[in-house]
Amino acid sequence: MTADPLDRTFEHIRVRRDGAVAEVSLARPEARNALQAVTLHELTEVAHLLRRRSDIAAVILSGAPAFFSAGADVADFENRIRAPTLLETRDVIMAGPDMCEAWEQIEAVTIAAIEGYCVGGACALALACDFRILGASGFLRLPEVALGVNMSWRTVPRVTALAGPSRAKRFVIFGERTDAATCLDWGLADEVVADGGAVGAARAWAARVAALPPLPVRMTKEQVNATAHALSHAASYMDRDQYLVTSRSRDFAEGREAFLQRRTPEFGGD
């Protein structure tokens, strides 16, 4: 019997199967599941392994029982974007967009089970999934603009498709915690359950999907995504270059320092 490629050991994620359902969980709790380079690579790799698996009907993505993820590992990311040339840096920062795209392209239905905080790049990843189930105390947040950079990872079109233009602007520009009830009201979440119940609820959703005929399910997912994201690439293909510009601004340096020093930043537009 040929070994299943999913039956391997990853460093920062755990993968298990239960029949037609695959579960992928972030497993770096000592760092609040921050998305390091290794984590991004492993999440992308497992998404590629799952992409066209005809024996997988649903994929659940989860974090720790008390939190999903604190987002991109800032120290690790800043080290990686100091590549020798701008061209090499531009290539390095595609790791996040590539990961989100890989998860969006999984043909099986994907469900993010979120407890506690889901911030920045982790929020971008969750938004690339088909459904999001939040524990009652969970929240989503994109803090990038408030730190002096644009929200990249081709996330803005996904937010806009789910929440509409006005709410997308509020969510991205203000970068505030958006609690589970508000996420549900805005279309960023599909169900809110009692704390600790997100994974259980996701399993119930996955079981419903697995009981359906797989061909029309996959066709419907593909059709809806094609319709909702028809212009997404045109709207976001430059967001990594926008990041290259904003990450070299004085405002970004000020935003980062103010965040670390827990003070109010003073932005000057340069």
Side-chain angles (χ1 to χ4, degrees), residues 8-14 25-30 36-39 42 45:
R8 54 155 290 193
T9 300
F10 294 90
E11 186 177 350
H12 290 172
I13 64 174
R14 301 289 178 266
S25 56
L26 301 172
R28 200 177 171 227
E30 72 284 355
Q36 195 184 42
V38 172
T39 323
E42 291 185 341
E45 181 182 359

Side-chain angles (χ1 to χ4, degrees), residues 29 149 258:
V149 292

Side-chain angles (χ1 to χ4, degrees), residues 7 16 31 50 57-58 60 77 126 139 164 169 172 185 192 200 211 213 225 230 244 254 265:
D7 292 336
R16 64 181 293 270
L50 289 163
I60 297 171
F77 197 70
F139 66 86
K169 291 171 189 173
V172 178
D185 181 54
V192 174
N225 283 354
L244 285 174
E254 167 62 12

Side-chain angles (χ1 to χ4, degrees), residues 127 132 140-142 158-192:
L127 291 167
R132 283 147 298 282
L140 303 181
R141 185 185 178 210
L142 294 176
R158 295 185 181 108
V159 178
T160 306
L162 290 168
S166 180
R167 286 170 171 170
K169 291 171 189 173
R170 289 173 61 182
F171 185 62
V172 178
I173 291 174
F174 292 117
E176 297 172 341
R177 303 183 172 202
T178 304
D179 62 40
T182 303
C183 285
L184 184 64
D185 181 54
W186 286 9
L188 298 173
D190 299 281
E191 185 179 3
V192 174

Side-chain angles (χ1 to χ4, degrees), residues 78 143-150 243 245-259 263-270:
E78 288 188 350
E144 282 73 10
V145 169
L147 293 174
V149 292
N150 67 304
Y243 179 82
V245 172
T246 55
S247 66
R248 284 159 172 73
S249 69
R250 293 178 182 173
D251 277 350
F252 174 61
E254 167 62 12
R256 185 180 181 281
E257 288 301 311
F259 174 77
R263 61 175 173 81
T264 302
E266 296 181 10
F267 295 123
D270 56 354

Side-chain angles (χ1 to χ4, degrees), residues 68-92:
F68 188 79
S69 168
D73 188 316
V74 177
D76 174 70
F77 197 70
E78 288 188 350
N79 287 334
R80 290 189 299 115
I81 65 172
R82 292 194 178 94
T85 68
L86 196 59
L87 184 62
E88 290 172 284
T89 302
R90 192 173 187 263
D91 181 64
V92 166

Side-chain angles (χ1 to χ4, degrees), residues 12-269:
H12 290 172
I13 64 174
R14 301 289 178 266
V15 182
R16 64 181 293 270
R17 280 195 61 186
D18 182 8
V21 179
E23 296 189 14
V24 179
S25 56
L26 301 172
R28 200 177 171 227
E30 72 284 355
R32 301 185 299 162
N33 284 342
L35 304 178
Q36 195 184 42
V38 172
T39 323
L40 298 179
H41 173 76
E42 291 185 341
L43 284 166
T44 304
E45 181 182 359
V46 77
H48 287 158
L49 291 174
L50 289 163
R51 183 178 178 184
R52 290 197 174 98
R53 288 284 295 258
S54 60
D55 58 334
I56 300 291
V59 181
I60 297 171
L61 176 65
S62 64
F67 54 84
F68 188 79
S69 168
D73 188 316
V74 177
D76 174 70
F77 197 70
E78 288 188 350
N79 287 334
R80 290 189 299 115
I81 65 172
R82 292 194 178 94
T85 68
L86 196 59
L87 184 62
E88 290 172 284
T89 302
R90 192 173 187 263
D91 181 64
V92 166
I93 62 176
M94 276 304 290
D98 284 347
M99 175 193 66
C100 292
E101 183 179 35
W103 274 81
E104 192 170 62
Q105 289 179 346
I106 294 173
E107 291 192 353
V109 170
T110 53
I111 307 163
I114 300 166
E115 300 283 358
Y117 48 81
C118 179
V119 179
C123 181
L125 173 59
L127 291 167
C129 293
D130 296 313
F131 301 112
R132 283 147 298 282
I133 299 174
L134 272 67
S137 299
F139 66 86
L140 303 181
R141 185 185 178 210
L142 294 176
E144 282 73 10
V145 169
L147 293 174
V149 292
N150 67 304
M151 182 59 220
S152 56
W153 292 20
R154 299 183 178 169
T155 299
V156 174
R158 295 185 181 108
V159 178
T160 306
L162 290 168
S166 180
R167 286 170 171 170
K169 291 171 189 173
R170 289 173 61 182
F171 185 62
V172 178
I173 291 174
F174 292 117
E176 297 172 341
R177 303 183 172 202
T178 304
D179 62 40
T182 303
C183 285
L184 184 64
D185 181 54
W186 286 9
L188 298 173
D190 299 281
E191 185 179 3
V192 174
V193 297
D195 288 337
V199 170
R203 287 172 178 161
W205 279 60
R208 290 177 62 191
V209 171
L212 294 169
L215 277 174
V217 169
R218 292 184 181 218
M219 290 174 180
T220 301
K221 169 176 172 168
E222 185 176 17
Q223 185 177 31
V224 171
N225 283 354
T227 303
H229 302 303
L231 296 176
S232 292
H233 181 73
S236 62
Y237 78 97
M238 284 190 66
D239 71 7
R240 64 168 165 165
D241 294 318
Q242 294 168 351
Y243 179 82
L244 285 174
V245 172
T246 55
S247 66
R248 284 159 172 73
S249 69
R250 293 178 182 173
D251 277 350
F252 174 61
E254 167 62 12
R256 185 180 181 281
E257 288 301 311
F259 174 77
L260 293 174
Q261 297 169 10
R262 300 183 182 277
R263 61 175 173 81
T264 302
E266 296 181 10
F267 295 123

